[in-house]
Amino acid sequence: MENLKEVLLKNHQDHLLKYLEIANEDEKQKMIKQIDNIDFEQLNKLYKISKNNNFNTNCKIEHSSFVDKSKLTIDELEELKEVGKNIIKSGKYAVVTMAGGQGTRLGHDGPKGTFLLNVNPKPKYLFELIAEGLIRANKKYNITLNWYIMTSTENNDKTVEFFKEHEYFGYPKESIMFFEQGNMPFLSEEGKLLVDDSFNIKYAADGNGCIYKSMLKDGVIDDMKNKGIKWIFVGSVDNALVNMVDTVLIGLTIKENNEIGSRSIVKSNPHEPVGVFCKKNGVPAVIEYSEISKEMAEATDDDGELLYGESNIMAHLYSIDAIEKISKHDLPYHSAHKKAPYMKENGELVNPTKPNAYKYEAFIFDGFSYFDNMSVLRVKREENFAPIKNKEGNDSPETAIKLYNNFWHV
Ligand code: UTP
């Protein structure tokens, strides 16, 4: 206890001692264990970035090249498809769904993949839509793709249970593997750890960028290697038109001799609030719309194409070596100002109406920086992107349903 006091005092977290005073014995032991597991050095570093989250000051931002799928000739397309098809048919391809997010904007009660989208001819869960796409690909290539699903501490049990309840949506159960991403503690605006009403230190999922480390830690990379998998597609759970099996993207990435590839869609206008592919200090990156100037956002090349117009739709391809390489690096954390309900030292519950705490997340695209180049394949928005982010308005179930029904002519 003396040691614990000293550590907490030294790290300005001694308010936690007050919780220990009012907790019962079980709660106290649980909390002590949680405190023991905290990396205070990392926490102190994180707090410093909370209010200064701009990673792009003094960075050299340049245009990154891309290939427009619609401009490829039939022969070029066929050549790329053939390369991709061979990779898939020879069992060297697997897919990963990132489903560890909290989906706060959508506000659905449960993991985002369990959201029921009211598409025609009958409503389907987001996980079901992904399963259907994979089943179609399995039939086409006469194979069973290994499907890895990343969950979080918060939603893992519910996700696994949901799949069981729905009999894996007809997907072969033995080809699905769930793995859990990690967590990072919330910090208050004063840099203090928060505690919930069960005397748990408040944690949140540590961002989709932690996928690489989680794949290493949870044995996913080893499992893939044992199965002879060489190329891995990683996609989000919340795109009703996600295409996880794209022979052209595989073919292009291999042809361009890259270890990473990604699909992009062109911005609908220069000021659409999306992250775009670029080169940052000479290496591939995604930069947020808020981080480029008006001039850069509007700049075009000789053909009139936007120089920073290739939007990231979270459809990434990696070689297994690329994933392994990134997994050995510590990606930077970015902070987000969020509403986090908590319990005060006197046991009073607080349900904030405005952001009161910082959450720390790593971003998947920060992993691209460990490579000199990556392939970017521009595809059509209406065939590839129907995001479900918000409850209403843009990128909501309503817009995704329309896009889905149009694409499938239903
Ligand atoms: P978003 O960044 O849109 O976050 O995730 P979100 O959690 O779904 O929604 P908000 O921001 O709370 O409203 C993009 C993809 O990354 C996954 C999500 O599940 C989604 O597929 N993700 C995000 C994770 O797997 N883990 C995370 O920690 C964050």
Side-chain angles (χ1 to χ4, degrees), residues 299-323:
T300 52
D301 65 12
D302 293 345
D303 298 329
E305 296 275 13
L306 288 174
L307 280 178
Y308 302 97
E310 298 314 303
S311 321
N312 169 30
I313 56 167
M314 296 231 179
H316 310 312
L317 177 77
Y318 303 81
S319 71
I320 182 86
D321 292 344
I323 295 215

PDB file of all heavy atoms in Angstrom, residues 299-323:
ATOM      1  N   ALA A 299      -5.964  22.268 -55.057  1.00  0.00           N
ATOM      2  CA  ALA A 299      -4.913  22.138 -56.087  1.00  0.00           C
ATOM      3  C   ALA A 299      -5.185  20.961 -57.024  1.00  0.00           C
ATOM      4  O   ALA A 299      -5.636  19.897 -56.593  1.00  0.00           O
ATOM      5  CB  ALA A 299      -3.561  21.954 -55.417  1.00  0.00           C
ATOM      6  N   THR A 300      -4.920  21.173 -58.317  1.00  0.00           N
ATOM      7  CA  THR A 300      -5.138  20.102 -59.305  1.00  0.00           C
ATOM      8  C   THR A 300      -3.867  19.864 -60.128  1.00  0.00           C
ATOM      9  O   THR A 300      -2.979  20.719 -60.184  1.00  0.00           O
ATOM     10  CB  THR A 300      -6.280  20.468 -60.283  1.00  0.00           C
ATOM     11  OG1 THR A 300      -6.008  21.757 -60.815  1.00  0.00           O
ATOM     12  CG2 THR A 300      -7.629  20.455 -59.618  1.00  0.00           C
ATOM     13  N   ASP A 301      -3.797  18.718 -60.790  1.00  0.00           N
ATOM     14  CA  ASP A 301      -2.661  18.444 -61.674  1.00  0.00           C
ATOM     15  C   ASP A 301      -3.004  18.898 -63.102  1.00  0.00           C
ATOM     16  O   ASP A 301      -4.067  19.496 -63.337  1.00  0.00           O
ATOM     17  CB  ASP A 301      -2.261  16.954 -61.617  1.00  0.00           C
ATOM     18  CG  ASP A 301      -3.355  16.042 -62.156  1.00  0.00           C
ATOM     19  OD1 ASP A 301      -4.313  16.539 -62.779  1.00  0.00           O
ATOM     20  OD2 ASP A 301      -3.253  14.809 -61.962  1.00  0.00           O
ATOM     21  N   ASP A 302      -2.141  18.563 -64.061  1.00  0.00           N
ATOM     22  CA  ASP A 302      -2.341  19.021 -65.441  1.00  0.00           C
ATOM     23  C   ASP A 302      -3.637  18.477 -66.049  1.00  0.00           C
ATOM     24  O   ASP A 302      -4.209  19.065 -66.969  1.00  0.00           O
ATOM     25  CB  ASP A 302      -1.165  18.588 -66.331  1.00  0.00           C
ATOM     26  CG  ASP A 302       0.104  19.307 -65.907  1.00  0.00           C
ATOM     27  OD1 ASP A 302      -0.012  20.303 -65.161  1.00  0.00           O
ATOM     28  OD2 ASP A 302       1.202  18.856 -66.293  1.00  0.00           O
ATOM     29  N   ASP A 303      -4.093  17.322 -65.542  1.00  0.00           N
ATOM     30  CA  ASP A 303      -5.331  16.739 -66.075  1.00  0.00           C
ATOM     31  C   ASP A 303      -6.576  17.243 -65.342  1.00  0.00           C
ATOM     32  O   ASP A 303      -7.680  16.752 -65.575  1.00  0.00           O
ATOM     33  CB  ASP A 303      -5.292  15.206 -65.948  1.00  0.00           C
ATOM     34  CG  ASP A 303      -4.158  14.614 -66.749  1.00  0.00           C
ATOM     35  OD1 ASP A 303      -3.811  15.209 -67.782  1.00  0.00           O
ATOM     36  OD2 ASP A 303      -3.613  13.571 -66.322  1.00  0.00           O
ATOM     37  N   GLY A 304      -6.367  18.157 -64.411  1.00  0.00           N
ATOM     38  CA  GLY A 304      -7.518  18.686 -63.671  1.00  0.00           C
ATOM     39  C   GLY A 304      -7.932  17.808 -62.497  1.00  0.00           C
ATOM     40  O   GLY A 304      -8.944  18.048 -61.845  1.00  0.00           O
ATOM     41  N   GLU A 305      -7.137  16.777 -62.199  1.00  0.00           N
ATOM     42  CA  GLU A 305      -7.455  15.896 -61.053  1.00  0.00           C
ATOM     43  C   GLU A 305      -6.983  16.572 -59.766  1.00  0.00           C
ATOM     44  O   GLU A 305      -5.900  17.182 -59.747  1.00  0.00           O
ATOM     45  CB  GLU A 305      -6.681  14.568 -61.172  1.00  0.00           C
ATOM     46  CG  GLU A 305      -7.039  13.721 -62.342  1.00  0.00           C
ATOM     47  CD  GLU A 305      -8.247  12.837 -62.064  1.00  0.00           C
ATOM     48  OE1 GLU A 305      -8.935  13.067 -61.055  1.00  0.00           O
ATOM     49  OE2 GLU A 305      -8.477  11.933 -62.876  1.00  0.00           O
ATOM     50  N   LEU A 306      -7.752  16.412 -58.689  1.00  0.00           N
ATOM     51  CA  LEU A 306      -7.323  16.965 -57.403  1.00  0.00           C
ATOM     52  C   LEU A 306      -6.018  16.296 -56.972  1.00  0.00           C
ATOM     53  O   LEU A 306      -5.892  15.067 -57.058  1.00  0.00           O
ATOM     54  CB  LEU A 306      -8.385  16.688 -56.333  1.00  0.00           C
ATOM     55  CG  LEU A 306      -9.683  17.486 -56.404  1.00  0.00           C
ATOM     56  CD1 LEU A 306     -10.666  16.972 -55.354  1.00  0.00           C
ATOM     57  CD2 LEU A 306      -9.425  18.976 -56.220  1.00  0.00           C
ATOM     58  N   LEU A 307      -5.053  17.098 -56.515  1.00  0.00           N
ATOM     59  CA  LEU A 307      -3.774  16.513 -56.074  1.00  0.00           C
ATOM     60  C   LEU A 307      -3.957  15.737 -54.776  1.00  0.00           C
ATOM     61  O   LEU A 307      -3.252  14.778 -54.495  1.00  0.00           O
ATOM     62  CB  LEU A 307      -2.739  17.619 -55.873  1.00  0.00           C
ATOM     63  CG  LEU A 307      -2.058  18.140 -57.130  1.00  0.00           C
ATOM     64  CD1 LEU A 307      -1.093  19.262 -56.782  1.00  0.00           C
ATOM     65  CD2 LEU A 307      -1.314  17.014 -57.845  1.00  0.00           C
ATOM     66  N   TYR A 308      -4.912  16.197 -53.965  1.00  0.00           N
ATOM     67  CA  TYR A 308      -5.201  15.498 -52.703  1.00  0.00           C
ATOM     68  C   TYR A 308      -6.666  15.095 -52.721  1.00  0.00           C
ATOM     69  O   TYR A 308      -7.478  15.592 -51.936  1.00  0.00           O
ATOM     70  CB  TYR A 308      -4.859  16.412 -51.511  1.00  0.00           C
ATOM     71  CG  TYR A 308      -3.412  16.828 -51.544  1.00  0.00           C
ATOM     72  CD1 TYR A 308      -3.029  18.060 -52.075  1.00  0.00           C
ATOM     73  CD2 TYR A 308      -2.421  15.953 -51.102  1.00  0.00           C
ATOM     74  CE1 TYR A 308      -1.689  18.412 -52.150  1.00  0.00           C
ATOM     75  CE2 TYR A 308      -1.081  16.302 -51.182  1.00  0.00           C
ATOM     76  CZ  TYR A 308      -0.726  17.522 -51.709  1.00  0.00           C
ATOM     77  OH  TYR A 308       0.595  17.850 -51.793  1.00  0.00           O
ATOM     78  N   GLY A 309      -7.006  14.217 -53.638  1.00  0.00           N
ATOM     79  CA  GLY A 309      -8.416  13.877 -53.826  1.00  0.00           C
ATOM     80  C   GLY A 309      -8.748  12.422 -53.568  1.00  0.00           C
ATOM     81  O   GLY A 309      -9.905  12.023 -53.673  1.00  0.00           O
ATOM     82  N   GLU A 310      -7.737  11.618 -53.234  1.00  0.00           N
ATOM     83  CA  GLU A 310      -8.004  10.175 -53.063  1.00  0.00           C
ATOM     84  C   GLU A 310      -8.386   9.885 -51.616  1.00  0.00           C
ATOM     85  O   GLU A 310      -7.539   9.823 -50.724  1.00  0.00           O
ATOM     86  CB  GLU A 310      -6.770   9.356 -53.475  1.00  0.00           C
ATOM     87  CG  GLU A 310      -6.396   9.519 -54.923  1.00  0.00           C
ATOM     88  CD  GLU A 310      -7.592   9.425 -55.864  1.00  0.00           C
ATOM     89  OE1 GLU A 310      -8.287   8.394 -55.839  1.00  0.00           O
ATOM     90  OE2 GLU A 310      -7.839  10.403 -56.605  1.00  0.00           O
ATOM     91  N   SER A 311      -9.685   9.677 -51.380  1.00  0.00           N
ATOM     92  CA  SER A 311     -10.157   9.486 -50.005  1.00  0.00           C
ATOM     93  C   SER A 311      -9.926   8.064 -49.531  1.00  0.00           C
ATOM     94  O   SER A 311     -10.142   7.105 -50.274  1.00  0.00           O
ATOM     95  CB  SER A 311     -11.651   9.733 -49.902  1.00  0.00           C
ATOM     96  OG  SER A 311     -12.040  10.800 -50.688  1.00  0.00           O
ATOM     97  N   ASN A 312      -9.604   8.001 -48.253  1.00  0.00           N
ATOM     98  CA  ASN A 312      -9.395   6.711 -47.593  1.00  0.00           C
ATOM     99  C   ASN A 312     -10.745   6.102 -47.230  1.00  0.00           C
ATOM    100  O   ASN A 312     -11.551   6.730 -46.549  1.00  0.00           O
ATOM    101  CB  ASN A 312      -8.572   6.978 -46.322  1.00  0.00           C
ATOM    102  CG  ASN A 312      -8.502   5.797 -45.405  1.00  0.00           C
ATOM    103  OD1 ASN A 312      -8.547   4.650 -45.847  1.00  0.00           O
ATOM    104  ND2 ASN A 312      -8.385   6.066 -44.117  1.00  0.00           N
ATOM    105  N   ILE A 313     -11.006   4.868 -47.697  1.00  0.00           N
ATOM    106  CA  ILE A 313     -12.281   4.217 -47.338  1.00  0.00           C
ATOM    107  C   ILE A 313     -12.033   2.972 -46.480  1.00  0.00           C
ATOM    108  O   ILE A 313     -12.880   2.080 -46.390  1.00  0.00           O
ATOM    109  CB  ILE A 313     -13.133   3.868 -48.585  1.00  0.00           C
ATOM    110  CG1 ILE A 313     -12.358   2.985 -49.581  1.00  0.00           C
ATOM    111  CG2 ILE A 313     -13.655   5.126 -49.250  1.00  0.00           C
ATOM    112  CD1 ILE A 313     -13.241   2.366 -50.671  1.00  0.00           C
ATOM    113  N   MET A 314     -10.865   2.893 -45.871  1.00  0.00           N
ATOM    114  CA  MET A 314     -10.532   1.776 -44.969  1.00  0.00           C
ATOM    115  C   MET A 314     -10.657   0.442 -45.681  1.00  0.00           C
ATOM    116  O   MET A 314     -11.355  -0.468 -45.228  1.00  0.00           O
ATOM    117  CB  MET A 314     -11.440   1.760 -43.748  1.00  0.00           C
ATOM    118  CG  MET A 314     -11.267   2.958 -42.893  1.00  0.00           C
ATOM    119  SD  MET A 314     -11.014   2.462 -41.213  1.00  0.00           S
ATOM    120  CE  MET A 314     -10.823   4.057 -40.480  1.00  0.00           C
ATOM    121  N   ALA A 315     -10.011   0.343 -46.816  1.00  0.00           N
ATOM    122  CA  ALA A 315      -9.998  -0.915 -47.561  1.00  0.00           C
ATOM    123  C   ALA A 315      -8.536  -1.169 -47.922  1.00  0.00           C
ATOM    124  O   ALA A 315      -8.063  -0.719 -48.952  1.00  0.00           O
ATOM    125  CB  ALA A 315     -10.870  -0.802 -48.802  1.00  0.00           C
ATOM    126  N   HIS A 316      -7.835  -1.830 -47.008  1.00  0.00           N
ATOM    127  CA  HIS A 316      -6.380  -1.927 -47.111  1.00  0.00           C
ATOM    128  C   HIS A 316      -5.913  -3.375 -47.337  1.00  0.00           C
ATOM    129  O   HIS A 316      -6.467  -4.308 -46.760  1.00  0.00           O
ATOM    130  CB  HIS A 316      -5.722  -1.417 -45.824  1.00  0.00           C
ATOM    131  CG  HIS A 316      -6.215  -0.076 -45.369  1.00  0.00           C
ATOM    132  ND1 HIS A 316      -6.335   1.005 -46.212  1.00  0.00           N
ATOM    133  CD2 HIS A 316      -6.626   0.359 -44.152  1.00  0.00           C
ATOM    134  CE1 HIS A 316      -6.791   2.048 -45.523  1.00  0.00           C
ATOM    135  NE2 HIS A 316      -6.989   1.675 -44.278  1.00  0.00           N
ATOM    136  N   LEU A 317      -4.858  -3.475 -48.137  1.00  0.00           N
ATOM    137  CA  LEU A 317      -4.268  -4.790 -48.404  1.00  0.00           C
ATOM    138  C   LEU A 317      -2.813  -4.779 -47.943  1.00  0.00           C
ATOM    139  O   LEU A 317      -2.089  -3.804 -48.185  1.00  0.00           O
ATOM    140  CB  LEU A 317      -4.315  -5.060 -49.917  1.00  0.00           C
ATOM    141  CG  LEU A 317      -3.673  -6.364 -50.363  1.00  0.00           C
ATOM    142  CD1 LEU A 317      -4.585  -7.548 -50.052  1.00  0.00           C
ATOM    143  CD2 LEU A 317      -3.368  -6.337 -51.865  1.00  0.00           C
ATOM    144  N   TYR A 318      -2.390  -5.877 -47.303  1.00  0.00           N
ATOM    145  CA  TYR A 318      -1.008  -5.956 -46.810  1.00  0.00           C
ATOM    146  C   TYR A 318      -0.418  -7.319 -47.132  1.00  0.00           C
ATOM    147  O   TYR A 318      -1.130  -8.326 -47.093  1.00  0.00           O
ATOM    148  CB  TYR A 318      -0.965  -5.885 -45.284  1.00  0.00           C
ATOM    149  CG  TYR A 318      -1.600  -4.677 -44.660  1.00  0.00           C
ATOM    150  CD1 TYR A 318      -2.985  -4.611 -44.472  1.00  0.00           C
ATOM    151  CD2 TYR A 318      -0.825  -3.619 -44.219  1.00  0.00           C
ATOM    152  CE1 TYR A 318      -3.562  -3.509 -43.871  1.00  0.00           C
ATOM    153  CE2 TYR A 318      -1.402  -2.514 -43.608  1.00  0.00           C
ATOM    154  CZ  TYR A 318      -2.763  -2.467 -43.440  1.00  0.00           C
ATOM    155  OH  TYR A 318      -3.341  -1.378 -42.847  1.00  0.00           O
ATOM    156  N   SER A 319       0.897  -7.349 -47.304  1.00  0.00           N
ATOM    157  CA  SER A 319       1.555  -8.654 -47.299  1.00  0.00           C
ATOM    158  C   SER A 319       1.692  -9.037 -45.828  1.00  0.00           C
ATOM    159  O   SER A 319       1.689  -8.159 -44.943  1.00  0.00           O
ATOM    160  CB  SER A 319       2.940  -8.564 -47.957  1.00  0.00           C
ATOM    161  OG  SER A 319       3.812  -7.841 -47.115  1.00  0.00           O
ATOM    162  N   ILE A 320       1.832 -10.323 -45.568  1.00  0.00           N
ATOM    163  CA  ILE A 320       1.988 -10.762 -44.169  1.00  0.00           C
ATOM    164  C   ILE A 320       3.252 -10.148 -43.566  1.00  0.00           C
ATOM    165  O   ILE A 320       3.279  -9.760 -42.398  1.00  0.00           O
ATOM    166  CB  ILE A 320       1.986 -12.317 -44.073  1.00  0.00           C
ATOM    167  CG1 ILE A 320       2.089 -12.795 -42.621  1.00  0.00           C
ATOM    168  CG2 ILE A 320       3.112 -12.960 -44.871  1.00  0.00           C
ATOM    169  CD1 ILE A 320       0.801 -12.882 -41.905  1.00  0.00           C
ATOM    170  N   ASP A 321       4.286  -9.986 -44.393  1.00  0.00           N
ATOM    171  CA  ASP A 321       5.532  -9.392 -43.879  1.00  0.00           C
ATOM    172  C   ASP A 321       5.312  -7.933 -43.472  1.00  0.00           C
ATOM    173  O   ASP A 321       5.901  -7.449 -42.510  1.00  0.00           O
ATOM    174  CB  ASP A 321       6.641  -9.445 -44.942  1.00  0.00           C
ATOM    175  CG  ASP A 321       7.071 -10.876 -45.219  1.00  0.00           C
ATOM    176  OD1 ASP A 321       6.735 -11.749 -44.383  1.00  0.00           O
ATOM    177  OD2 ASP A 321       7.720 -11.120 -46.248  1.00  0.00           O
ATOM    178  N   ALA A 322       4.463  -7.252 -44.246  1.00  0.00           N
ATOM    179  CA  ALA A 322       4.196  -5.844 -43.921  1.00  0.00           C
ATOM    180  C   ALA A 322       3.496  -5.754 -42.566  1.00  0.00           C
ATOM    181  O   ALA A 322       3.863  -4.943 -41.709  1.00  0.00           O
ATOM    182  CB  ALA A 322       3.333  -5.210 -45.010  1.00  0.00           C
ATOM    183  N   ILE A 323       2.494  -6.610 -42.348  1.00  0.00           N
ATOM    184  CA  ILE A 323       1.768  -6.575 -41.070  1.00  0.00           C
ATOM    185  C   ILE A 323       2.737  -6.878 -39.923  1.00  0.00           C
ATOM    186  O   ILE A 323       2.747  -6.212 -38.887  1.00  0.00           O
ATOM    187  CB  ILE A 323       0.597  -7.587 -41.075  1.00  0.00           C
ATOM    188  CG1 ILE A 323      -0.421  -7.142 -42.118  1.00  0.00           C
ATOM    189  CG2 ILE A 323       0.002  -7.754 -39.678  1.00  0.00           C
ATOM    190  CD1 ILE A 323      -1.852  -7.373 -41.813  1.00  0.00           C
TER     191      ILE A 323
END
